[in-house]
Amino acid sequence: MDSFSLLCTGALLAGGLYWFVCVLGPAEQKGKRATDLSGGSISAEKVQDNYKQYWSFFRRPKEIETAEKVPDFVDTFYNLVTDIYEWGWGQSFHFSPSIPGKSHHEATRLHEEMAVDLIQAGPGDRVLDVGCGVGGPMRAIAAHSRANVVGITINDYQVNRARLHNKKAGLDSLCEVVCGNFLNMPFPDNSFDGAYSIEATCHAPKLEQVYAEIFRVLKPGALYVSYEWVTTDKYRADDPEHVEVIQGIERGDALPGLRSHTDIAETARKVGFVVVKEQDLAKPPAQPWWSRLKMGRIAYWRNHIVVTVLAALGIAPKGTVDVHEMLFKTADYLTRGGDSGIFSPMHMILCRKPHDSDDQVQT
């Protein structure tokens, strides 16, 4: 091959890599590029070792529901996946029903705004975001309601990312982020006018524990809404395919065992909440929430090539390829769970903290 051919080949490769990384780049152009992928608070040389420890720990989710180390490994999980989520999905780490004529970004925002509308929060109210991630929902909710939103996440890297995004969005006066464990929150009793959690409390080893903490910090009469990950009434524990799908979702999303849809309201009542409304937002007439995963399969392959190349060049940490492959496989399990109807990531429950013990339950 002569020099000219080599030059052309090199230019094509460089152009192709630029197109993959910079032009196609992140899913919603939210400021995280492939060349910036990291292991969060984990040093680059330890990413692969931490991934192996994580995978070993969550290999059998049902056996670790009471394990004290679950919060630590959830923290590890989000160190490993936060940058990839931001780059490939956006700043809101959750699903939403597809809406005809609306983009994924718009559908996500409407799903988030519905949460704060349900808890009836407005200007001057202090609202808790339980498991805020990098703050995508927090910013949408603060902008929509003008409430003061306080988010808590166990992951220090996400705290820094959220604060950066809050400032860039000009919402740092309405949005505050705290690093902490939502099983033992650093807030006084009766200190919030409302609370929400969007696909976050599924990481709790015991749902009762996190619901009790939320109940404690809410003011009497305040509302709390949660979108929960659950198995539906279509799930059959004696069906090997159903079991495979649910376990695949658990392993790939740091879940210490998915709950049944029947557990949610029962747990809320157990800690003292009045259940105002309960509904699976994934059921018809809602459009499939997993359609974005199906449509994104080409993007997943493209991104996997990018991650592989960057890791080979030493730009992305060693182990990033393993993490991305895990998420790619998990996306398939999520799609199968949605297609079969055995899994929902948006079982909604709206609760109220009663003023006194005589407050009657609404059905």
Side-chain angles (χ1 to χ4, degrees):
M1 186 178 289
D2 56 32
S3 299
F4 179 74
S5 297
L6 282 171
L7 182 63
C8 290
T9 301
L12 282 170
L13 289 171
L17 183 60
Y18 175 83
W19 180 71
F20 267 126
V21 176
C22 299
V23 178
L24 291 176
E28 297 187 38
Q29 299 296 327
K30 291 294 183 179
K32 173 61 66 175
R33 294 197 176 276
T35 50
D36 298 325
L37 294 179
S38 72
S41 299
I42 301 171
S43 60
E45 65 273 11
K46 293 183 179 179
V47 168
Q48 191 163 52
D49 287 343
N50 274 262
Y51 166 76
K52 290 178 180 178
Q53 292 171 15
Y54 162 81
W55 190 247
S56 176
F57 187 73
F58 277 99
R59 186 171 297 157
R60 294 176 293 275
K62 281 292 183 185
E63 297 177 17
I64 60 169
E65 289 181 344
T66 59
E68 293 181 358
K69 291 185 179 180
V70 170
D72 291 337
F73 275 90
V74 170
D75 182 31
T76 296
F77 173 77
Y78 279 110
N79 274 321
L80 293 171
V81 305
T82 290
D83 279 357
I84 294 176
Y85 277 1
E86 274 203 65
W87 170 56
W89 191 261
Q91 294 174 16
S92 294
F93 298 174
H94 65 82
F95 299 105
S96 59
S98 298
I99 301 176
K102 300 288 186 182
S103 68
H104 295 307
H105 179 69
E106 290 173 318
T108 297
R109 176 179 55 78
L110 291 171
H111 194 54
E112 294 163 349
E113 290 176 354
M114 181 175 67
V116 74
D117 289 342
L118 284 167
I119 62 173
Q120 303 171 22
D125 286 333
R126 190 167 184 252
V127 175
L128 176 63
D129 181 333
V130 184
C132 65
V134 298
M138 169 192 295
R139 287 181 289 281
I141 283 170
H144 175 67
S145 68
R146 307 311 295 178
N148 295 289
V149 184
V150 180
I152 184 169
T153 172
I154 199 169
N155 185 263
D156 187 62
Y157 181 70
Q158 289 188 339
V159 171
N160 294 328
R161 293 293 299 169
R163 288 173 177 168
L164 176 66
H165 291 313
N166 291 346
K167 188 172 183 179
K168 283 184 176 180
L171 292 167
D172 47 329
S173 63
L174 291 176
C175 298
E176 178 187 348
V177 191
V178 175
C179 189
N181 187 341
F182 59 32
L183 300 177
N184 185 22
M185 293 190 281
F187 307 122
D189 296 355
N190 309 316
S191 56
F192 287 94
D193 301 294
Y196 65 88
S197 53
I198 299 180
E199 303 181 29
T201 54
C202 51
H203 292 297
K206 291 184 178 180
L207 188 62
E208 181 180 345
Q209 191 173 353
V210 64
Y211 276 12
E213 269 294 275
I214 295 166
F215 185 90
R216 177 184 67 81
V217 302
L218 283 176
K219 296 176 181 178
L223 292 166
Y224 163 60
V225 66
S226 184
Y227 300 163
E228 293 287 349
W229 282 33
V230 298
T231 56
T232 72
D233 55 1
K234 293 184 178 181
Y235 174 70
R236 297 291 177 267
D238 57 354
D239 186 321
E241 185 175 352
H242 286 193
V243 173
E244 178 193 357
V245 169
I246 295 304
Q247 288 186 349
I249 293 171
E250 291 168 339
R251 285 193 301 268
D253 285 295
L255 307 180
L258 271 168
R259 281 122 195 158
S260 167
H261 67 288
T262 60
D263 295 336
I264 308 305
E266 179 184 349
T267 303
R269 292 188 179 102
K270 189 174 181 179
V271 304
F273 278 119
V274 174
V275 176
V276 178
K277 186 177 181 180
E278 186 177 18
Q279 179 185 353
D280 187 349
L281 301 177
K283 287 186 174 181
Q287 297 295 305
W289 56 266
W290 62 94
S291 61
R292 185 179 178 188
L293 292 173
K294 281 188 171 181
M295 291 187 292
R297 282 175 178 169
I298 294 175
Y300 283 126
W301 280 112
R302 177 203 73 204
N303 290 351
H304 198 65
I305 293 171
V306 173
V307 170
T308 301
V309 171
L310 293 176
L313 294 174
I315 298 172
K318 188 178 180 181
T320 305
V321 175
D322 295 325
V323 175
H324 193 269
E325 184 177 2
M326 175 188 72
L327 296 179
F328 181 80
K329 291 178 179 177
T330 305
D332 182 62
Y333 285 122
L334 288 163
T335 301
R336 289 166 61 186
D339 269 333
S340 62
I342 65 172
F343 165 74
S344 172
M346 53 192 70
H347 184 91
M348 184 276 290
I349 185 167
L350 178 64
C351 308
R352 183 176 70 254
K353 180 175 179 176
H355 284 284
D356 54 55
S357 60
D358 294 327
D359 203 341
Q360 297 298 307
V361 175
Q362 298 182 27
T363 59

